[in-house]
Amino acid sequence: MNKAASREISSLSSARSVHAIRSFPAVLFAAGFLTVGLSGCHQAPSPDVLATVNGKPIMLADVDRAYKQNLGDTAQPPSKELAANLRLNVLHQMIVDEIMQQRAAKLNLVATDEEVDAKLTDMKALATQDQFNEQLKQKNLTLDDLRREIRRSLTITKLQNKEILSKVNITAAEIGNYYSTHKSEFNLIEPDYHLARIVVTNEPSKQETNLQNNKATNDAEAKKKIQMLRNRLDAGENFLSVAARFSEDPASTSNGGDFGFVAESQLQADPEIFNAVSKLKAGQTTDTLPMVRAEGSARKTVGYAIYLLIEKRPAGQREMNDPNVQQNILQQLRSTQAQLLEGAYNEMLYNEAKVHNYLAEQIFKAGGA
């Protein structure tokens, strides 16, 4: 069955969890946990409440569901101690998320019904209603649950855009200073190729890598799927969008198939790919190419790929006035500054919130048992 949209369904809450992990390092969590032992314990309002954030409860049932989603399809259940630690981390992530939701509400940044509906429509694209309902059932979600998760995810994005990304400011002087310090990085000893690719494998796998959770399981399905994607490209669909929705390459799908620059000597290691790519102009794609494993009698086709040439850079020193150089530096500096501001902003919000983590207190009082 085509498992369209399930990856995005299951990743809405996990995306916020990843954000929380990145923004609040382990040392902060450890420090907060130690404070529990030093500052005394608080009585939980009820056994079903594992924490409160400015008086708003985080419920046991919600933590359990997020915990199970984080475990995924692990073959062996974790030990008692590891399970407790995982629950603490999940709860911490949910606390951080709730703090951000409350901040967004104060700033009138909560996602609107129209924004939620638009996102939900995107998630349902190319999936039948029955398939979509089956995915909700597998994730133990109702449609209202999903709408709530969509709203919370979009709300955090709006908060980050207003409070963090809007404050990122990179000057021409900073770009110039970076270039002067890292000039050697822009001196290419050989040509390189900025590539993206769409990959379809013919081997069964539980790994879900694309937005549609679409996976071929044998060679016939792989050939049919790659031809369908070839047809989409020929009809004018955006390559990066098709890759994000359908490609099965875990290394590049989240970037729309973009896997960066590849040196010419590295590309030449596969003559068939090099011969196809070297004939392209920027913006053009190769024909469908087989992906092979091993050589000689052991040579085996394991899938199919289509490559897009985004840019080819000749050997030599790239100068400061090269627009691509400036854009590359700008992106790096913006990303670095945004991460710094995000960490500081989130820590400030956490410090201002009144948080009671009853689960942490219970574990601490019980000596970890």
Side-chain angles (χ1 to χ4, degrees), residues 77-128:
S79 66
K80 180 178 68 174
E81 292 78 10
L82 179 57
N85 191 52
L86 290 173
R87 285 184 183 277
L88 281 172
N89 280 311
V90 167
L91 178 56
H92 178 70
Q93 294 155 16
M94 296 177 71
I95 289 171
V96 172
D97 178 78
E98 180 57 36
I99 291 171
M100 298 179 72
Q101 296 292 330
Q102 293 182 20
R103 175 66 174 179
K106 287 182 179 180
L107 297 176
N108 295 317
L109 295 174
V110 176
T112 65
D113 289 343
E114 291 75 15
E115 291 167 333
V116 173
D117 289 341
K119 180 65 175 179
L120 186 59
T121 298
D122 289 343
M123 293 172 64
K124 287 183 173 181
L126 304 178
T128 67

Side-chain angles (χ1 to χ4, degrees), residues 273-304:
I273 294 177
F274 174 72
N275 289 337
V277 168
S278 62
K279 297 174 183 176
L280 300 178
K281 296 180 180 179
Q284 293 182 334
T285 61
T286 66
D287 293 331
T288 300
L289 302 175
M291 299 175 60
V292 298
R293 180 186 299 153
E295 297 294 337
S297 60
R299 184 179 174 89
K300 177 184 178 183
T301 298
V302 295
Y304 305 92

Side-chain angles (χ1 to χ4, degrees), residues 36-199:
V36 170
L38 298 177
S39 60
C41 298
H42 303 84
Q43 184 67 38
S46 81
D48 292 331
V49 175
L50 295 190
T52 57
V53 178
N54 297 320
K56 183 171 182 178
I58 295 178
M59 308 304 293
L60 171 63
D62 294 327
V63 174
D64 281 347
R65 184 171 63 189
Y67 169 78
K68 291 175 182 177
Q69 288 177 348
N70 274 260
L71 281 183
D73 296 326
T74 51
Q76 184 174 351
S79 66
K80 180 178 68 174
E81 292 78 10
L82 179 57
N85 191 52
L86 290 173
R87 285 184 183 277
L88 281 172
N89 280 311
V90 167
L91 178 56
H92 178 70
Q93 294 155 16
M94 296 177 71
I95 289 171
V96 172
D97 178 78
E98 180 57 36
I99 291 171
M100 298 179 72
Q101 296 292 330
Q102 293 182 20
R103 175 66 174 179
K106 287 182 179 180
L107 297 176
N108 295 317
L109 295 174
V110 176
T112 65
D113 289 343
E114 291 75 15
E115 291 167 333
V116 173
D117 289 341
K119 180 65 175 179
L120 186 59
T121 298
D122 289 343
M123 293 172 64
K124 287 183 173 181
L126 304 178
T128 67
Q129 188 63 48
D130 288 343
Q131 290 169 341
F132 189 78
N133 291 339
E134 179 63 23
Q135 292 305 321
L136 289 178
K137 183 178 179 181
Q138 290 180 8
K139 305 301 180 184
N140 195 27
L141 292 172
T142 66
L143 186 59
D144 286 340
D145 292 334
L146 179 59
R147 289 182 61 87
R148 183 168 55 252
E149 293 297 337
I150 292 173
R151 191 181 306 277
R152 294 176 75 88
S153 178
L154 292 177
T155 295
I156 286 182
T157 297
K158 293 175 71 173
L159 178 67
Q160 291 172 331
N161 288 340
K162 178 176 176 58
E163 293 284 87
I164 299 169
L165 297 183
S166 65
K167 294 177 172 57
V168 175
N169 181 37
I170 305 300
T171 66
E174 289 175 310
I175 293 175
N177 290 337
Y178 184 95
Y179 179 81
S180 298
T181 306
H182 301 83
K183 188 173 181 178
S184 61
E185 296 178 7
F186 301 97
N187 186 15
L188 304 182
I189 61 175
E190 62 176 314
D192 64 8
Y193 299 76
H194 188 184
L195 298 173
R197 68 180 178 181
I198 294 172
V199 170

Side-chain angles (χ1 to χ4, degrees), residues 260-273:
F261 285 92
V262 180
E264 186 169 81
S265 58
Q266 182 180 351
L267 198 60
Q268 288 172 337
D270 190 318
E272 187 170 10
I273 294 177

Side-chain angles (χ1 to χ4, degrees), residues 101 136 231 314 340 342:
Q101 296 292 330
L136 289 178
N231 293 341
L340 175 61
E342 181 181 2

